[in-house]
Amino acid sequence: MPHAAHAHAPAAPLSAHKSGPLSGRVRPPGDKSVSHRALIFGLLAIGETKIEGLLEGEDVLRTAQACRQLGAKILRHDDGRWSVWGAGLGSLLQPTETLDFGNAGTGSRLMMGVVAGHPILARFDGDASLRKRPMKRILDPLALQGAQVLEQAEGGRLPLVLQGSSEPLPVEYKTPVASAQIKSAVLLCGLNSPGQTTVIEAEASRDHTEKMLAHFGATVVSAPHGPHGRKITLEGRPEMIARDVRVPADPSSAAFPLVAALIVEGSDIVIEGVMTNPLRSGLLTTLQEMGADIGLENRREEGGEEVADMRARFSHLKGVDVPAERAPSMIDEYPILAVAATFAQGETRMRGLSELRVKESDRLEAVAAGLRANGVDCEIVEDDLIVRGGRVAGGAMVETHLDHRIAMSFLVMGLAAEKHVTVDDETMIATSFPAFRPLMERLGARFS
Ligand code: S3P
């Protein structure tokens, strides 16, 4: 059974080299957001939840481990399917050890919601990156719902100790930033509340939690709210019944081979089974505006999500202006979009990126530093990133700051830059895309 790697694996640099045309068909790993949720809902349901296509990345394995600590029995079958026998909503076990989420923001934050809605005490911790990330945005609404934070590091950070409530209060909560993690934590806590829990978001964020709540038997209504927002209402204490989950391929992982094909001359590839949920499709929209040759073939539904095979061919891209409202639907894709923009003609302005500062690293700074080091003309103006495309010299080392998406983005850049591009550490790639290197090499990418 795959296990999360040791938290302090030594750093391993990796270089990407100018490559010939990429070709072939690949299937990226299962979606990270859906994988975390499938395990968590399995924990909360009674019976056996069978999961097909689970992402076996370190982040998700950490969530599986935490689910076990809270009372689930979890097994990986030889054919790669997973089964979860849940403890059931309201019947979670008091964990005896720290819940260690490694690098996983989503796992830790969603599980804080779960714990907050149960009369249990849990200690949460993570790696150096996760310990820097703000948890107050999660703890504030959970406190309104009745949970207590008994210990925390400065500024509401990990490690922290959370005491959940046996009777979480019904609340109506407006999220201060568009964040599916805040929304999900509140809803997961509200699941064990005797009343209704409502979350209002001004900008719609990914809706996998709402979809899965309904799939597992809860009554949840999501209605439009304002020009871009949503109001989500959940009836507490439903009977949660185990369901099968089929995890579609992760669009945030597909983004790497996708952009690689667009920037490496002569490329023509197909990426199979990619989720095309509109709340995750901002990158696709933006690349198409830039003139990318991307075709969606064989559109179908898999496990309650729209999916398609994406055919991507080398394209002469042009710079565009990316509106701030699009950020929630492509929040994890800005590093790789910035790489696409370096190969585009003209200027690309990505607006409203303040949330990038609190991801696995300060992604705004990490992207700008990596681009500059490799000879790309870019600047940060308030919360906007401006990239002026053209010559990409390469030849430099990029600091990844324990951030998998920074590592993969700059490795993709190296496939089309004049000189090789090196990242200081590729080990974190295993958090979301363990097979990144062999998958890219199958397409013709050169690494050493
Ligand atoms: C996620 C939500 C996003 C995203 C993260 C996964 C989720 O975070 O960046 O990688 O699965 O809910 P925010 O909700 O903080 O924007």
Side-chain angles (χ1 to χ4, degrees):
M1 178 174 302
H3 278 289
H6 192 264
H8 305 291
L14 185 66
S15 299
H17 304 269
K18 198 169 176 63
S19 300
L22 304 180
S23 65
R25 297 178 75 91
V26 285
R27 185 177 168 107
D31 185 68
K32 185 146 76 77
S33 295
V34 173
S35 295
H36 282 297
R37 287 163 174 81
L39 292 167
I40 291 173
F41 280 94
L43 162 72
L44 296 172
I46 296 285
E48 180 184 358
T49 292
K50 291 192 210 116
I51 309 170
E52 194 184 324
L54 186 83
L55 165 64
E56 293 176 349
E58 285 175 15
D59 277 12
V60 174
L61 299 179
R62 296 280 186 171
T63 292
Q65 184 52 29
C67 288
R68 287 193 184 98
Q69 289 173 266
L70 292 167
K73 186 175 160 227
I74 303 182
L75 194 94
R76 181 187 192 270
H77 302 281
D78 292 342
D79 63 1
R81 286 172 209 240
W82 289 67
S83 288
V84 182
W85 288 269
L89 181 66
S91 304
L92 303 190
L93 295 188
Q94 163 74 50
T96 51
E97 309 272 341
T98 297
L99 307 178
D100 183 349
F101 283 94
N103 199 245
T106 305
S108 60
R109 288 169 167 159
L110 268 54
M111 205 60 99
M112 284 177 202
V114 170
V115 165
H118 286 78
I120 53 179
L121 182 89
R123 185 170 186 275
F124 288 78
D125 205 353
D127 70 4
S129 154
L130 195 57
R131 281 182 172 201
K132 282 191 201 147
R133 300 181 65 183
M135 296 299 168
K136 198 171 156 351
R137 52 174 58 197
I138 304 291
L139 301 173
D140 283 350
L142 296 182
L144 297 176
Q145 292 171 284
Q148 279 179 287
V149 185
L150 303 186
E151 285 172 36
Q152 58 189 297
E154 212 181 306
R157 291 190 158 69
L158 296 184
L160 63 84
V161 177
L162 191 63
Q163 170 65 62
S165 160
S166 57
E167 285 273 314
L169 301 169
V171 294
E172 177 172 300
Y173 190 71
K174 269 197 187 103
T175 56
V177 286
S179 160
Q181 295 179 354
I182 302 176
K183 168 175 66 179
S184 301
V186 173
L187 291 173
L188 284 164
C189 179
L191 204 48
N192 201 29
S193 164
Q196 247 183 17
T197 298
T198 301
V199 179
I200 295 171
E201 44 183 12
E203 301 278 341
S205 65
R206 66 190 68 192
D207 58 358
H208 309 303
T209 297
E210 296 92 304
K211 283 188 169 173
M212 225 177 269
L213 279 166
H215 184 56
F216 278 77
T219 302
V220 60
V221 177
S222 178
H225 189 84
H228 311 287
R230 293 258 170 105
K231 177 174 179 173
I232 303 113
T233 308
L234 169 69
E235 303 295 335
R237 302 213 169 144
E239 202 177 323
M240 296 283 285
I241 308 150
R243 297 275 182 222
D244 292 351
V245 178
R246 193 163 172 199
V247 184
D250 194 329
S252 301
S253 297
F256 301 106
L258 178 68
V259 168
L262 300 178
I263 62 175
V264 174
E265 258 187 86
S267 297
D268 184 354
I269 68 166
V270 175
I271 312 169
E272 292 175 348
V274 183
M275 177 159 63
T276 53
N277 181 324
L279 294 169
R280 298 285 299 279
S281 296
L283 177 71
L284 189 63
T285 307
T286 305
L287 290 172
Q288 284 171 334
E289 286 174 4
M290 293 171 84
D293 181 352
I294 304 171
L296 296 188
E297 301 172 352
N298 195 12
R299 295 180 87 136
R300 58 207 185 267
E301 209 193 270
E302 265 181 24
E305 291 284 0
E306 295 163 39
V307 302
D309 300 333
M310 288 184 180
R311 179 169 185 190
R313 283 178 272 204
F314 171 72
S315 306
H316 294 284
L317 301 175
K318 60 177 194 322
V320 290
D321 196 308
V322 189
E325 313 83 80
R326 201 175 289 163
S329 68
M330 55 178 301
I331 193 67
D332 292 335
E333 282 68 77
Y334 285 100
I336 191 65
L337 174 63
V339 168
T342 63
F343 293 93
Q345 206 180 35
E347 184 177 289
T348 294
R349 185 172 191 134
M350 294 160 249
R351 294 180 188 269
L353 305 189
S354 58
E355 274 298 294
L356 286 202
R357 295 194 184 274
V358 291
K359 294 296 175 189
E360 284 83 330
S361 67
D362 177 342
R363 281 189 179 153
L364 198 47
E365 286 299 335
V367 167
L371 292 180
R372 276 191 208 111
N374 284 287
V376 176
D377 180 5
C378 69
E379 75 185 293
I380 297 172
V381 179
E382 291 171 9
D383 291 334
D384 298 354
L385 176 63
I386 300 168
V387 175
R388 295 181 192 94
R391 205 179 146 235
V392 184
M397 168 79 93
V398 173
E399 281 186 67
T400 53
H401 304 280
L402 297 177
D403 190 329
H404 54 134
R405 298 199 200 281
I406 297 296
M408 290 185 276
S409 297
F410 281 99
L411 288 170
V412 167
M413 190 169 97
L415 304 178
E418 288 169 20
K419 287 197 216 121
H420 66 271
V421 173
T422 304
V423 299
D424 64 354
D425 186 14
E426 56 113 14
T427 58
M428 300 317 287
I429 292 175
T431 60
S432 69
F433 198 163
F436 171 77
R437 182 173 176 180
L439 180 144
M440 295 298 294
E441 284 176 339
R442 256 202 335 275
L443 294 172
R446 290 174 54 230
F447 301 114
S448 69

